[in-house]
Amino acid sequence: MSSKVSSASQPTESPTAKIHTRPWAATLILTGGILLLALGMALSISFGAADIKLGVVWEAIFNFNPELTPHQIIWEIRLPRILGGAMVGACFAVAGAIMQGMTRNPLADSGLLGLNAGAGFALAVCFAFFPGMSYMYIIMYSFLGAGLGVLLVYGFGAASKSGLTPLRLVLAGAAVSAMLAALSEGIALYFKIGQDLAFWTAGGVAGTKWSQLEVMFPWVLAALIAGLLISRSITLLSLGEDIAVGLGQRTGLIKLIGLIVVLILAGTAVSVVGAVGFVGLIIPHLTRKLVGVDYRWIIPCSAVMGSLLLVFADLAARMINPPYETPIGALVALIGVPFFLYLARKERRAL
Amino acid sequence: MESSTLVGAERKKRTKSTIVMIVLGALIITAFIISMNTGFTRLSPLEVMRTLFGGGTAKQELILFEFRLPRIVISVLVGAGLALSGCILQGVSRNPLADPGILGINAGAGLVVMLFVSFFPTTTAAPVFLLPILALIGATFAAFLIYVLSYKKGEGLMPTRMLLTGIGVAAGISSAMIVLTLRLSPEKYQFVATWMAGSIWGSNWKFVTALLPFLIVLVPLVVYKARVLNVLNLGDQTASGLGAPVERERLILLAAAVGLAGSCVSVSGGIGFVGLIGPHLARRLVGPKHQFLLPASALVGSLLVLVADTLGRVILQPSEIPAGILVAIIGAPYFLYLMSKTK
């Protein structure tokens, strides 16, 4: 099997060979990033309304004693929150990376393309019509909502005469997001659940519970693994559909798998933190700059860097104005918007 | 011979446009009357008539003159203002998808108004006249930001870049607004959320008097500039070739569009898509000449907001759906449809 692949790729080696990668940079990011992530998580656990020394953090994790209050704070409140943040960051970033690779659109991001708004709409529906629904079902509805969003955006984008240009996708995303947000707002106003929903969606990872993590973890893990498995095909897709087909890729299948992975990742992430945009836009761009254009490296590195961004953003969200928490989505947008504007300015092709 | 047929076609067009506008006006009057009858307390057409001519009970007078009429008048004014603003923006940017909502101008106005609302009580009389001015400051700020960020030396103001920049700026401003909303008390939050969703909340004659001066100054100015818009629509090079001071005229028109959007948003909140759909429907009806297009857009916009607001009061009684939400639910699919049709 493997020999067949290598022999088959011999004559068509040129496009793949041209792919510019920096494996050493990627390895550095993966190892250094994970170390930094561990440090950020430790800091994040020790910092808060009750300051806890790092030594106690260590104790609580590896030698948990339910009698001690600090241990309980760490175990029941801070740890799930931080793990939730790390997971969500990885989800958004990998979803963005896969979307950018598959669509060859530098502006693709689950927030810009209506997925986040779709999942948010599903949340509003759950809150209004099925109060007290278990998290398992909420997460499933989020997937459905994200699917609805992306279906609408791509449906309308693809229906246009001159095809799916980046501008068209962003416009369709803006319109679909506006409509879904209007529907959610209408529901929220009518059922007077607006502020609950706002706290849920803008309050960041503060309320994450172990039960939530248990539900989301298998989904996220499966989606990330699937993303890694199709990463080589995504690299080929990112070179252009023709090249991918020429190399024997079943592009339709890959796109379908990629889309399902993206829906699971974005849906899960939104069900935890709400519609945080721009993570999926910034991180894959930075990663591509650092490690080159091979998605076998981009996807894992994006996951690590996305986790890093959210863990540190969450830390900042708590430090800026204690005891209030600044919504993490707003903080990320603060970095994300200038970045988006920069990309929009650079985009010189006929959009 | 040929010129006479041209004149004939022109005259035909004018007659058609006049008829369209008369029909639109009649529709608005019908909606106006229906809107006066509907609401939490039903008033029959006869009761409305009697009350209008001074024969109603005190309660009927209160409902009609103090609650319904100002709200209806505001819907009409706001619809016209937003649609005109959109019409100008589309003409100036030569992009049929431009709209003060999509470009982030509404968000800019909204942010400043929200800042004010969250720090001061609003029901008192004094700030009412301040609100349009505050909204204008916000709208101007957002417009300025978009202009600067999308302007590129040598290439000028590229319409596509302007749209993308607008979307980015709008996203940034909305996230700032989210930060603010979480600090509010539940009552204020409900108020602000309703406002942002585009409810005609300033249902009070004071808001009419606060809004009217802006429209009285800006609407005639815009109509006077109709010919300039026609020329700008031909493209920058042709326009300068014809002797139009392109950059200056564009700035004046942009300022007028920002002024209209800002002052309207201050009383209606973020009603998006009116500025987009109004001009489009109007263009279908009367064609691309701004002499007809501008007034027709204003009429379509008025009708749209008035109907949305009336429907919003009826559908889920006793609670209300803000007009902006209804307009977005109708407007977004229409926008997508338009997008798929434009080249």
Side-chain angles (χ1 to χ4, degrees):
Chain A
M1 177 70 194
S2 65
S3 68
K4 195 181 153 205
V5 167
S6 63
S7 69
S9 63
Q10 213 96 77
T12 42
E13 188 66 56
S14 48
T16 343
K18 261 189 231 156
I19 294 173
H20 172 71
T21 51
R22 295 193 200 90
W24 53 269
T27 322
L28 194 70
I29 288 177
L30 285 178
T31 48
I34 287 170
L35 284 177
L36 203 60
L37 192 60
L39 177 72
M41 288 167 119
L43 272 177
S44 196
I45 292 175
S46 76
F47 179 84
D51 265 321
I52 298 168
K53 288 207 176 68
L54 278 174
V56 183
V57 175
W58 183 270
E59 279 272 298
I61 293 174
F62 295 101
N63 198 1
F64 178 62
N65 180 357
E67 309 271 298
L68 298 169
T69 327
H71 282 208
Q72 275 195 329
I73 292 176
I74 289 171
W75 200 252
E76 291 305 321
I77 299 172
R78 296 207 183 150
L79 207 52
R81 165 179 194 154
I82 282 134
L83 288 176
M87 250 196 251
V88 162
C91 285
F92 278 130
V94 172
I98 293 178
M99 287 170 96
Q100 288 174 16
M102 286 199 313
T103 59
R104 308 181 68 204
N105 182 339
L107 297 176
D109 160 66
S110 61
L112 289 169
L113 296 188
L115 274 84
N116 292 3
F121 169 66
L123 274 183
V125 170
C126 289
F127 268 59
F129 297 107
F130 314 104
M133 184 188 243
S134 83
Y135 185 69
M136 182 72 192
Y137 284 99
I138 289 183
I139 215 172
M140 303 285 255
Y141 274 93
S142 287
F143 299 161
L144 280 182
L148 175 74
V150 81
L151 200 75
L152 288 172
V153 171
Y154 273 86
F156 280 104
S160 55
K161 281 174 188 156
S162 51
L164 278 168
T165 59
L167 173 74
R168 214 172 274 281
L169 266 188
V170 172
L171 279 176
V176 167
S177 295
M179 180 177 67
L180 290 170
L183 284 168
S184 319
E185 267 174 73
I187 292 171
L189 284 174
Y190 183 65
F191 290 94
K192 296 214 169 17
I193 52 167
Q195 211 159 5
D196 299 342
L197 208 61
F199 271 117
W200 173 286
T201 55
V205 283
T208 316
K209 293 180 196 71
W210 281 112
S211 54
Q212 255 176 315
L213 289 177
E214 275 163 22
V215 175
M216 67 185 271
F217 187 69
W219 290 103
V220 172
L221 193 69
L224 288 178
I225 290 172
L228 277 175
L229 287 178
I230 58 166
S231 58
R232 185 170 175 275
S233 308
I234 291 174
T235 312
L236 297 179
L237 269 178
S238 74
L239 297 173
E241 186 113 15
D242 297 342
I243 296 175
V245 171
L247 287 171
Q249 288 291 315
R250 297 173 64 186
T251 52
L253 182 72
I254 298 296
K255 280 188 172 171
L256 183 69
I257 298 173
L259 183 64
I260 293 170
V261 168
V262 166
L263 287 183
I264 292 176
L265 291 175
T268 318
V270 171
S271 75
V272 178
V273 280
V276 174
F278 297 107
V279 180
L281 183 79
I282 312 168
I283 296 294
H285 268 278
L286 280 180
T287 318
R288 211 173 300 126
K289 276 256 157 71
L290 293 170
V291 306
V293 291
D294 189 340
Y295 278 80
R296 277 176 292 183
W297 291 115
I298 292 178
I299 288 178
C301 291
S302 291
V304 171
M305 291 191 24
S307 295
L308 268 177
L309 177 64
L310 265 244
V311 166
F312 279 97
D314 183 46
L315 193 59
R318 286 184 284 154
M319 279 164 65
I320 288 175
N321 189 15
Y324 294 107
E325 299 207 0
T326 311
I328 201 164
L331 262 185
V332 176
L334 216 62
I335 319 165
V337 168
F339 194 79
F340 173 81
L341 293 175
Y342 163 75
L343 284 179
R345 245 183 110 78
K346 237 181 58 174
E347 187 63 34
R348 220 168 316 137
R349 281 180 284 163
L351 284 164
Chain B
M1 181 72 186
E2 203 175 44
S3 68
S4 78
T5 54
L6 255 174
V7 169
E10 180 72 17
R11 188 171 301 147
K12 229 178 179 177
K13 187 121 214 212
R14 184 160 298 197
T15 328
K16 193 194 158 205
S17 304
T18 319
I19 293 170
V20 165
M21 283 185 223
I22 290 170
V23 172
L24 281 173
L27 282 174
I28 290 176
I29 292 169
T30 316
F32 203 108
I33 293 168
I34 294 173
S35 190
M36 282 197 294
N37 301 333
T38 48
F40 185 60
T41 316
R42 278 262 156 77
L43 296 178
S44 73
L46 232 120
E47 282 170 324
V48 169
M49 277 300 144
R50 206 183 303 140
T51 318
L52 276 181
F53 293 108
T57 63
K59 190 184 161 206
Q60 283 168 343
E61 274 191 9
L62 182 75
I63 291 173
L64 196 62
F65 288 113
E66 294 308 315
F67 295 120
R68 274 186 208 161
L69 267 180
R71 182 162 173 163
I72 293 168
V73 170
I74 287 215
S75 305
V76 170
L77 294 179
V78 161
L82 288 174
L84 273 180
S85 173
C87 194
I88 301 167
L89 289 173
Q90 288 173 15
V92 169
S93 70
R94 280 184 293 126
N95 192 322
L97 301 175
D99 156 272
I102 291 176
L103 282 179
I105 293 172
N106 288 358
L111 178 66
V112 177
V113 170
M114 211 185 108
L115 270 175
F116 185 78
V117 167
S118 46
F119 291 114
F120 299 93
T122 40
T123 37
T124 49
V128 168
F129 292 93
L130 251 172
L131 280 178
I133 294 163
L134 286 171
L136 264 186
I137 295 171
T140 312
F141 170 70
F144 177 74
L145 210 64
I146 294 162
Y147 193 89
V148 169
L149 288 173
S150 57
Y151 190 88
K152 222 174 182 181
K153 241 187 180 170
E155 289 177 41
L157 205 63
M158 294 260 292
T160 48
R161 197 178 297 131
M162 201 165 127
L163 271 179
L164 278 177
T165 309
I167 290 171
V169 168
I173 294 175
S174 341
S175 66
M177 283 164 97
I178 290 175
V179 178
L180 287 170
T181 49
L182 292 177
R183 299 282 172 78
L184 301 176
S185 64
E187 304 83 56
K188 267 195 174 170
Y189 175 84
Q190 189 74 11
F191 171 78
V192 168
T194 314
W195 182 83
M196 285 207 291
S199 173
I200 311 290
W201 65 285
S203 43
N204 185 322
W205 289 114
K206 278 182 211 132
F207 290 93
V208 178
T209 39
L211 176 60
L212 218 47
F214 289 93
L215 296 181
I216 288 175
V217 175
L218 290 171
V219 172
L221 172 81
V222 171
V223 174
Y224 172 72
K225 291 279 181 194
R227 271 166 213 286
V228 179
L229 272 170
N230 287 341
V231 176
L232 279 181
N233 237 352
L234 298 172
D236 285 5
Q237 285 184 334
T238 321
S240 354
L242 288 170
V246 173
E247 212 50 44
R248 200 183 62 131
E249 293 293 347
R250 189 188 272 147
L251 266 180
I252 294 174
L253 283 161
L254 269 181
V258 168
L260 284 167
S263 53
C264 287
V265 165
S266 70
V267 288
S268 73
I271 298 187
F273 291 107
V274 176
L276 183 81
I277 306 166
H280 264 280
L281 286 177
R283 207 169 288 127
R284 293 254 159 110
L285 295 170
V286 300
K289 285 233 161 147
H290 283 87
Q291 289 92 321
F292 309 124
L293 184 57
L294 286 167
S297 300
L299 289 173
V300 174
S302 293
L303 186 63
L304 214 62
V305 175
L306 183 54
V307 170
D309 186 51
T310 312
L311 275 180
R313 278 188 286 152
V314 181
I315 294 176
L316 291 179
Q317 276 186 7
S319 54
E320 290 182 1
I321 307 177
I325 288 183
L326 277 179
V327 176
I329 292 170
I330 309 162
Y334 186 70
F335 174 85
L336 293 164
Y337 165 75
L338 277 179
M339 198 191 72
S340 68
K341 290 204 68 177
T342 49
K343 193 168 56 64

